[in-house]
Every structure is written in C-alpha cells, then in structure tokens.
Amino acid sequence: MVKTAEAPLRIKLIPFWYGHGRYSVWHHNPDGTRVAVPYGTVIGDSVDIDPKAKIGKNVTLGDHAIIGKKAIVGDGCILGRRVLLGDYSELGEKVELAERVRILQYSSIGDKSQLGFGCEVGESCNISYQVVLGDHCVIQNGASIGSSSRLEEGARILTGVKLPWLSLIEPNATITVKRARQLNEQNNP
C-alpha cells in the first residue's frame, strides 16, 4: 500500500462586513447571543449588548454595562462600569459616561458630552453636544439641554424643561419650566 501525503488542514478566516465598511469581531453576551463589534472596541466583563444595537469603533465598555435594543454608541465613546443605555437611545461621538449612569429609552446624548457618576437621564431626553453633567445629576423625562451647558453636582432638571445653550446650573439646583423660561429670556433678550 502506497502512503500519500495528506494535505494540511487549511482554515480560511473570513471577516464579515459590519456598519460603515469596517471589519468586526463577535462579542458573546452572558445569555449566549452574539453581537458584531468593530475592531478596537474594548469590552469589560459581563457586558450585555442587544444584537440589534450598533457600536462604533474605538469604544470602551466597562464591566456589567447594558446596551439596549437598537441603541447606537458613536465612535470613541467611553462607558464606565454598570452603565445602562436604554432601547433606541443614541450616544454621539466621544461621549464619556462615568460609572452607574442610566440613560433610559429614546434619549439622545450629543458629541463630546460628559456625564458624571450616577447620573440619570429619563425617557425621550435630548442632551446637545459638549454638555457636562456633574455627579448624581437627574434629567427627567422629555427634558432638553442646550449645547455647551454645564450642570454642577446634584442638579435636577424637571420633566419637559428646555435649557438654553451655555446654561450654568449651580450644585443641587432644581430647574422648573418657569426657571428655564427665565434663563431663556436672559440668554435671548
């Protein structure tokens, strides 16, 4: 019997296409589902990403983060430990979320914004670009914060308030609709 040399086993790795023309890798959720994430994404322990969510490139997701259904995380975002990004919510590019930030469904955070430890953003909120929220700020449902605004530690924005751009809110202040109108009149005489 003549022995023939067996051909070596060849494995061809085929990267798959994802999003805006970038190659991706698989992330395995704790429940066994798989999600495509771009190269350069750093993912902590026990991170749960909904399979319909979109993750940008060069994103960092801290331990135990949860990304909801059809949520969008822009390029270069940094999410701390135990962050919750609700269903249909969106983060712009280079957004930084500290630990234990909660963003509920249908909310939007603009580019280069920063949210401090323990901030809570209610449903259907709109936070424009370059907004800074101090630790433990609360933005209630339907509120809107203008660009380049700064809210100091513990500030509360009540339901339906629309803050103008360049607003500066003192520590532990509560902003009502009436107070927001006064700020609007001061900024736009």
Side-chain angles (χ1 to χ4, degrees):
M1 185 160 134
V2 177
K3 286 192 170 188
T4 58
E6 292 183 24
L9 179 63
R10 293 183 188 200
I11 299 175
K12 186 175 181 183
L13 297 176
I14 304 172
F16 57 93
W17 206 250
Y18 172 79
H20 304 286
R22 44 188 192 261
Y23 290 103
S24 303
V25 295
W26 290 110
H27 164 67
H28 296 274
N29 282 326
D31 64 0
T33 58
R34 295 187 316 171
V35 180
V37 293
Y39 286 133
T41 299
V42 178
I43 300 176
D45 293 334
S46 300
V47 172
D48 192 1
I49 304 170
D50 188 273
K52 294 183 178 180
K54 294 201 189 274
I55 307 296
K57 55 187 172 179
N58 299 320
V59 170
T60 301
L61 302 173
D63 297 341
H64 307 286
I66 298 173
I67 309 299
K69 181 170 58 174
K70 292 193 177 181
I72 299 171
V73 179
D75 296 343
C77 289
I78 300 172
L79 283 67
R81 296 178 67 231
R82 300 193 185 279
V83 166
L84 168 67
L85 183 60
D87 298 344
Y88 306 98
S89 291
E90 181 175 355
L91 299 181
E93 293 184 2
K94 298 182 180 177
V95 173
E96 296 179 18
L97 305 179
E99 291 185 25
R100 298 186 185 272
V101 171
R102 293 182 57 211
I103 300 172
L104 300 183
Q105 60 193 14
Y106 301 107
S107 292
S108 174
I109 312 292
D111 295 347
K112 299 181 182 177
S113 292
Q114 300 174 349
L115 280 68
F117 179 88
C119 286
E120 293 187 24
V121 178
E123 295 179 9
S124 303
C125 290
N126 181 24
I127 297 177
S128 289
Y129 62 92
Q130 295 182 342
V131 171
V132 177
L133 303 183
D135 295 345
H136 306 290
C137 286
V138 176
I139 313 300
Q140 291 185 351
N141 298 346
S144 178
I145 300 177
S147 61
S148 302
S149 294
R150 181 177 179 87
L151 281 69
E152 297 295 333
E153 182 176 347
R156 294 177 54 89
I157 307 300
L158 299 183
T159 300
V161 169
K162 302 201 180 323
L163 279 181
W165 63 290
L166 291 173
S167 296
L168 177 60
I169 307 301
E170 309 84 31
N172 301 313
T174 300
I175 304 300
T176 62
V177 174
K178 182 178 178 181
R179 178 68 179 127
R181 283 188 193 129
Q182 292 171 349
L183 289 171
N184 266 324
E185 290 170 4
Q186 288 173 1
N187 287 353
N188 301 317

